[in-house]
Amino acid sequence: MSGLKLPQEGGCRCGQVRLRVGAPPLLTMACHCTGCQRMSSSAFSLSAAIPSEGFAVTQGEPVIGGLHGAARHYFCPNCMSWMFTRPEGLDWFVNLRPTMLDDPSWFSPFVETWTAEKLPWATTPAVHSFAAFPPMDAYPGLIGEYAARAGAPAP
Ligand SMILES: [Zn+2]
Ligand SMILES: [Zn+2]
């Protein structure tokens, strides 16, 4: 499922901020919430949850955007691409927008969230759909199932 070649580099639209991923994602997601619709200027946001030790900004200084709240949304200060998010209280992973990677072709969302707020036509190939965020106790099972699929030969 995950054909992400590691390590892999990526960057924002203008190239001022560059980053490197050295670990496979724990989970891949699409979020249909209205906040993500606004920040992504699109129907939903995409996230690859990368373990923090496998994620590095290698060039440039991303700045905080979005609501400037507990979840820290990082943007390029020049082209304003929404690059990644450090969720509140969850320091062990970073939610990278996978289209920042130089090759995002491996990505598909395994989980979709906030379908209660989705645009009527918006659909994804996600295996699991949740009306809001999944309950915290659902994540270990989702991560385990994603890892088992990612370890299987590509279809
Ligand atoms: Zn930029
Ligand atoms: Zn969202």
Side-chain angles (χ1 to χ4, degrees):
M1 188 172 183
S2 171
L4 172 61
K5 292 183 179 62
L6 296 171
Q8 188 173 147
E9 310 232 323
C12 61
R13 180 72 198 268
C14 76
Q16 188 168 308
V17 178
R18 294 288 293 170
L19 50 83
R20 181 182 294 121
V21 170
L26 301 165
L27 206 58
T28 58
M29 296 162 281
C31 184
H32 297 273
C33 83
T34 55
C36 285
Q37 289 178 27
R38 290 196 165 108
M39 279 199 294
S40 66
S41 314
S42 189
F44 46 81
S45 70
L46 298 176
S47 291
I50 304 294
S52 294
E53 67 272 17
F55 178 83
V57 173
T58 55
Q59 178 187 302
E61 298 276 348
V63 296
I64 302 275
L67 283 180
H68 295 244
R72 288 156 292 158
H73 300 290
Y74 287 89
F75 292 72
C76 169
N78 185 53
C79 69
M80 306 294 178
S81 301
W82 182 26
M83 300 186 72
F84 60 94
T85 298
R86 294 187 186 275
E88 178 184 6
L90 301 168
D91 290 339
W92 44 283
F93 70 94
V94 176
N95 274 335
L96 172 67
R97 310 278 91 76
T99 46
M100 299 301 138
L101 293 169
D102 292 340
D103 177 13
S105 64
W106 59 275
F107 182 89
S108 75
F110 182 64
V111 172
E112 63 180 350
T113 57
W114 283 100
T115 57
E117 296 185 351
K118 80 182 190 74
L119 295 180
W121 54 266
T123 56
T124 79
V127 176
H128 296 282
S129 294
F130 294 89
F133 281 127
M136 283 310 281
D137 63 4
Y139 282 96
L142 292 169
I143 290 169
E145 190 183 334
Y146 180 74
R149 287 176 175 244

